[in-house]
Amino acid sequence: MRRLFVGLTAVSVLAAATACGSSDDSGGSDGSGSSGGTTEVKVGLIPIVDVAPLYLGQKKGFFEKQGLKLSFSGAQGGAAIVPGVVSGQFQFGFSNTTSLMIAQSNDVPVKAVANGIASTGEVGRDFEALTVKGDSPLRSPKELEGKKVAINTLKNINETAVRASVRKAGGDPDEVELVELAFDQMPAALDAGRIDAAMAVEPALATIKSQGGREIASPMIDVAPKLTVAMYFTSTRYAQEHPEVVKKFQDATAESLAYADAHPDEVRAIVTTYTKIPADVLAKVTLPKWPAEPNRAAVEELARLGEADGLFKRAPDLDKLLP
């Protein structure tokens, strides 16, 4: 837990420095501003398939219709985006549910405002998977004891999910060596044998499969069917001071999620604008689900597992956190 505090503090300092060192032509002290009736807001995202609805919604004019213009900034994981939102570097962010619960349980002032993504609920046909190299002798998460497994960031939803899969298979998750690695670096590391397994999401998952890699578990589904994996959030201060902007963001995001869920081909096309995944690999990408609302029961189970794994200072208050 001390490592989490250090990480949050370090990124907060970096975020503040970045914010102070950048030009802001909006003139707003909160980082957002209005120009000709349009409010510009900054959104911290991870460059993965999950966030395609926001890029698609921007392109289709859903945010413009609400009087919003979004600018996107990339990060390795939700844990790094949280302090960026709290410091005011971003007005909104995208984060896995566990990182938001950790923040809330540590009195970090965050509030989820819109649903992000959910797992498909279909084992072996989800947008995420625990993967190994094609010629690996590993066949079960139980066999990961003593092995090196890559997740994008420690102490987040992927750690909980991997531990859940190992535990479900009869193994001891405490015996697994979890290492941090960005999603887009996982395929090369797995192929080169620098790691034994990778908890990958799309489009990295499709790349691993194109290299002959295979799945040994669907960890998100092992946590709970149709798990709410991530959400969009803001700081409690921004929500209090700019409720009208938050409402516009919620409405535009809801329209974007529904459109993405109904237009998978357009989702795949927009992903090429912010990732480097080849078109032939992208065609094989398994898309997540983009439901309108979080799955409260699934989030409660995720919280229970996180608490059992010692991720929280105290149990998160889901009534305060969830939209």
Side-chain angles (χ1 to χ4, degrees):
M1 189 57 69
R2 181 178 182 276
R3 176 171 50 195
L4 173 67
F5 284 126
V6 172
L8 286 174
T9 301
V11 179
S12 296
V13 172
L14 176 60
T18 303
C20 291
S22 61
S23 61
D24 181 4
D25 57 10
S26 68
S29 60
D30 59 8
S32 63
S34 298
S35 177
T38 299
T39 301
E40 300 180 18
V41 294
K42 299 173 184 176
V43 186
L45 300 176
I46 310 168
I48 51 179
V49 169
D50 307 27
V51 299
L54 254 62
Y55 284 90
L56 195 54
Q58 178 102 310
K59 180 181 178 181
K60 303 300 292 188
F62 301 152
F63 289 92
E64 182 180 8
K65 183 172 63 177
Q66 294 291 339
L68 299 179
K69 180 180 179 181
L70 308 183
S71 63
F72 303 126
S73 295
Q76 181 169 323
I81 294 173
V82 168
V85 170
V86 173
S87 70
Q89 181 187 9
F90 311 129
Q91 281 69 62
F92 299 96
F94 177 85
S95 175
N96 71 84
T97 306
T98 294
S99 289
L100 290 177
M101 290 193 294
I102 290 174
Q104 200 275 335
S105 71
N106 285 323
D107 295 322
V108 178
V110 293
K111 171 69 176 176
V113 296
N115 199 31
I117 60 163
S119 62
T120 65
E122 299 181 53
V123 175
R125 299 182 63 185
D126 201 13
F127 77 101
E128 54 76 32
L130 189 52
T131 60
V132 296
K133 198 173 177 180
D135 59 1
S136 170
L138 301 174
R139 298 286 171 179
S140 165
K142 183 180 187 300
E143 299 169 351
L144 294 176
E145 293 179 354
K147 304 299 183 183
K148 187 179 292 185
V149 181
I151 57 177
N152 67 320
T153 57
L154 296 172
K155 307 301 180 186
N156 79 349
I157 193 170
N158 289 307
E159 177 166 337
T160 297
V162 169
R163 290 176 63 88
S165 289
V166 173
R167 191 181 295 113
K168 182 178 180 181
D172 183 354
D174 290 337
E175 295 300 317
V176 178
E177 182 185 355
L178 296 173
V179 296
E180 286 192 352
L181 194 65
F183 287 124
D184 60 2
Q185 296 176 22
M186 290 181 184
L190 190 62
D191 194 51
R194 294 193 297 273
I195 53 176
D196 299 297
M199 174 59 187
V201 302
E202 298 289 14
L205 177 56
T207 301
I208 288 172
K209 288 180 178 178
S210 74
Q211 296 173 172
R214 53 186 172 78
E215 301 182 19
I216 61 171
S218 299
M220 298 295 184
I221 299 173
D222 284 339
V223 171
K226 300 185 178 179
L227 176 65
T228 297
V229 177
M231 294 178 284
Y232 294 97
F233 70 102
T234 189
S235 67
T236 54
R237 177 179 177 180
Y238 191 83
Q240 292 166 357
E241 295 181 352
H242 302 277
E244 72 291 342
V245 177
V246 172
K247 181 62 166 61
K248 291 176 179 179
F249 182 84
Q250 288 174 319
D251 291 346
T253 299
E255 187 172 5
S256 300
L257 292 172
Y259 190 88
D261 227 24
H263 298 83
D265 290 341
E266 290 187 50
V267 168
R268 296 178 197 279
I270 203 75
V271 170
T272 63
T273 65
Y274 63 92
T275 72
K276 299 178 181 179
I277 185 170
D280 59 331
V281 175
L282 183 61
K284 301 173 183 177
V285 162
T286 299
L287 300 178
K289 294 297 183 182
W290 288 291
E293 302 292 337
N295 182 336
R296 174 68 182 244
V299 174
E300 288 174 350
E301 177 61 14
L302 184 65
R304 187 191 70 78
L305 291 173
E307 191 169 7
D309 288 337
L311 295 184
F312 308 128
K313 180 178 179 181
R314 61 176 178 274
D317 188 336
L318 298 184
D319 290 332
K320 290 183 178 179
L321 176 64
L322 296 179

